[in-house]
Amino acid sequence: MAASVTPPRGMRDFLPAEKARREHALGVIRRVYASHGFDEIETPVMEDASRLHAGLGGDNEKLAFAVMKRGLTGDDLAAAAASGDALSLADLGLRYDLTVPLARFYATHQAELPPVFRAIQIAPVWRAERPQKGRYRQFVQCDIDIIGEAGPLAELELLTATVAALDELGLTGCTIRLNDRRILAGVLASWGVADDLRERALITIDKLDKIGPEGVARELRELGIVGGSADVAAELVALANADWHLHDGVVPPPSWLDLDAYRDLLALRTALPGAAIEFDPTLVRGMGYYTGTIFEIAHPDFGYSLGGGGRYDGMIGRFLGREVPACGFSIGFERIVDLIGASAADRPRAVVLVYDADVPQGALLALKAELVASGARVRLERRVKNFRALLDRVTADGFDAFAPVTADATDASSLAFRELGA
């Protein structure tokens, strides 16, 4: 029986046309982010296991791929199995996001970086997910972060750059959903949730779009997080329907509303009048490291977010021993790349030279060099009997036109190009 030749579950190969579309999108994102003053960095694909499991990544820490220590013996494996501590076998792990590595990067290089550092990170990450549509074990994240800016200017720059990137990609109809962890804390306090149960409560509330208000309320009660007196389901429905008029100066605000946080969100919305921004007090964001403003990209055609981020002022202090303000936004690249197409205006003209067997190779290469020098992408293809199949193949590969090349061709101007896919 032949061995399987498919990629590992949750990981993918990309054929040339798909790879070209992905690189086009990545190029657009890089260009827009750079134009907004961000600088690209790179970090290793692995970090110390202790760093990846330091309580910074929420539930994603459970999905981290561990790298076993070198030189382990059977006794080591048996001892770990007996204790149930599999992590004792690992000293490294594959990164599950780009934020934890960025915090370590900043702590390492802070003396070489400006007081306010604007970073781009575009790279693959790995999570031991259960593979399904739109969810993979290896995927690309496109992050921008601002470190060192405590004020709302960081959020404004991140939102502006992200909206500009989405616009440049041609992804219309998106909305930015805003909330603040301080508002969520007020909601939990109004339900009487103990401080040590709040993170677990937020994990459950984050399932609202999957299991609904009744499901969230039931799980909160089953976990002993809220008592039977609070009508959590009804309050979740009210929260989901909340808008920007929770406090207009006349009607008293609800008891759970942190007014300072709410005013900060109002200020962000006012400062970005051209962006579609909604207030959503049920928005959680799953990562445990968020401390203030949080945001997500929503689209009416999809039941999942297309990206998100927020403020995580406490993370870098874990490495430096002092607080450093930080805020970031990540585009969900794998989810948006299938929604967009590579515009022909944004890539060079791609042509195929279909040559006869008697064309001298020197002349053929000279024609190719002339076209490449003019800015075209050029492929050489020998004429075959099944000419239609050849044209179908190069069309699928993203080529725009072809030209027959005979032995008497002297320069590119003598070629008769015919459009493909017309």
Side-chain angles (χ1 to χ4, degrees):
M1 181 176 178
S4 172
V5 293
T6 59
R9 290 187 66 233
M11 301 181 183
R12 298 162 292 164
D13 294 325
F14 298 107
L15 292 169
E18 190 171 4
K19 177 65 174 174
R21 185 174 71 250
R22 292 171 66 86
E23 290 302 320
H24 161 76
L26 291 171
V28 169
I29 294 168
R30 280 191 168 95
R31 183 176 71 250
V32 172
Y33 284 168
S35 72
H36 282 257
F38 291 81
D39 294 312
E40 189 162 2
I41 65 168
E42 184 174 329
T43 59
V45 303
M46 292 190 289
E47 295 283 348
D48 286 345
S50 60
R51 188 172 299 128
L52 294 173
H53 296 275
L56 300 173
D59 273 3
N60 286 328
E61 292 191 2
K62 302 173 185 176
L63 302 176
F65 282 101
V67 179
M68 294 179 68
K69 300 174 182 177
R70 277 69 61 204
L72 291 173
T73 67
D75 290 341
D76 296 324
L77 298 174
S83 67
D85 183 16
L87 285 178
S88 66
L89 301 175
D91 56 355
L92 298 172
L94 292 173
R95 62 190 177 204
Y96 52 74
D97 75 355
L98 297 176
T99 307
V100 174
L102 174 64
R104 195 271 311 151
F105 173 93
Y106 183 83
T108 302
H109 300 284
Q110 57 174 319
E112 306 158 68
L113 299 173
V116 176
F117 180 50
R118 295 168 175 85
I120 303 171
Q121 288 188 97
I122 298 178
V125 299
W126 293 264
R127 295 179 191 170
E129 297 272 13
R130 179 177 298 170
Q132 54 187 287
K133 182 176 175 58
R135 191 176 292 274
Y136 307 102
R137 288 179 170 176
Q138 176 179 319
F139 55 96
V140 170
Q141 287 190 334
C142 301
D143 287 15
I144 46 174
D145 294 81
I146 298 179
I147 300 175
E149 174 57 66
L153 182 60
E155 282 88 341
L156 289 171
E157 286 200 80
L158 292 168
L159 291 168
T160 300
T162 299
V163 170
L166 295 175
D167 288 345
E168 189 73 12
L169 289 168
L171 194 60
T172 59
C174 292
T175 299
I176 305 294
R177 299 162 61 206
L178 288 183
N179 197 17
D180 193 293
R181 278 297 180 101
R182 292 172 291 175
I183 291 175
L184 286 167
V187 172
L188 298 182
S190 73
W191 294 345
V193 177
D195 289 348
D196 61 335
L197 295 176
R198 289 191 175 185
E199 281 303 317
R200 187 64 191 84
L202 292 177
I203 292 171
T204 300
I205 295 172
D206 202 28
K207 301 176 184 177
L208 183 63
D209 59 338
K210 298 181 180 67
I211 62 177
E214 293 290 345
V216 170
R218 181 169 55 254
E219 184 170 319
L220 290 174
R221 289 197 175 93
E222 289 173 352
L223 293 170
I225 293 174
V226 298
S229 58
D231 192 353
V232 173
E235 292 183 21
L236 284 169
V237 171
L239 286 171
N241 293 325
D243 59 22
W244 291 107
H245 304 290
L246 287 177
H247 177 54
D248 56 12
V250 178
V251 179
S255 61
W256 50 263
L257 186 63
D258 184 300
L259 286 177
D260 288 337
Y262 182 65
R263 293 187 184 106
D264 288 346
L265 297 182
L266 281 172
L268 291 177
R269 177 172 177 258
T270 302
L272 297 169
I277 296 178
E278 295 180 353
F279 172 54
D280 183 358
T282 67
L283 177 63
V284 173
R285 297 292 299 162
M287 296 297 193
Y289 48 63
Y290 291 123
T291 58
T293 316
I294 49 178
F295 21 76
E296 278 192 353
I297 306 169
H299 193 283
D301 294 341
F302 304 96
Y304 47 76
S305 73
L306 300 180
R311 181 165 285 279
Y312 53 98
D313 289 345
M315 181 185 288
I316 297 174
R318 298 275 194 98
F319 299 106
L320 288 179
R322 60 179 176 83
E323 291 300 305
V324 178
C327 196
F329 208 140
S330 178
I331 287 179
F333 179 74
E334 305 297 346
R335 289 178 170 178
I336 69 170
V337 72
D338 292 334
L339 307 178
I340 61 176
S343 169
D346 294 319
R347 59 178 173 82
R349 181 168 172 78
V351 299
V352 177
L353 301 182
V354 182
Y355 62 93
D356 292 335
D358 61 347
V359 177
Q361 291 184 354
L364 189 62
L365 291 174
L367 285 171
K368 179 179 180 180
E370 185 178 348
L371 289 167
V372 170
S374 71
R377 178 184 177 218
V378 185
R379 175 182 291 179
L380 302 177
E381 290 280 357
R382 183 190 292 269
R383 182 181 289 275
V384 294
K385 185 175 181 180
N386 192 346
F387 190 56
R388 183 71 259 170
L390 185 154
L391 296 183
D392 289 344
R393 173 167 55 81
V394 297
T395 300
D397 287 345
F399 285 84
D400 309 308
F402 77 97
V405 181
T406 59
D408 58 355
T410 57
D411 55 48
S413 63
S414 67
L415 300 175
F417 282 99
R418 305 175 195 176
E419 296 300 314
L420 290 165

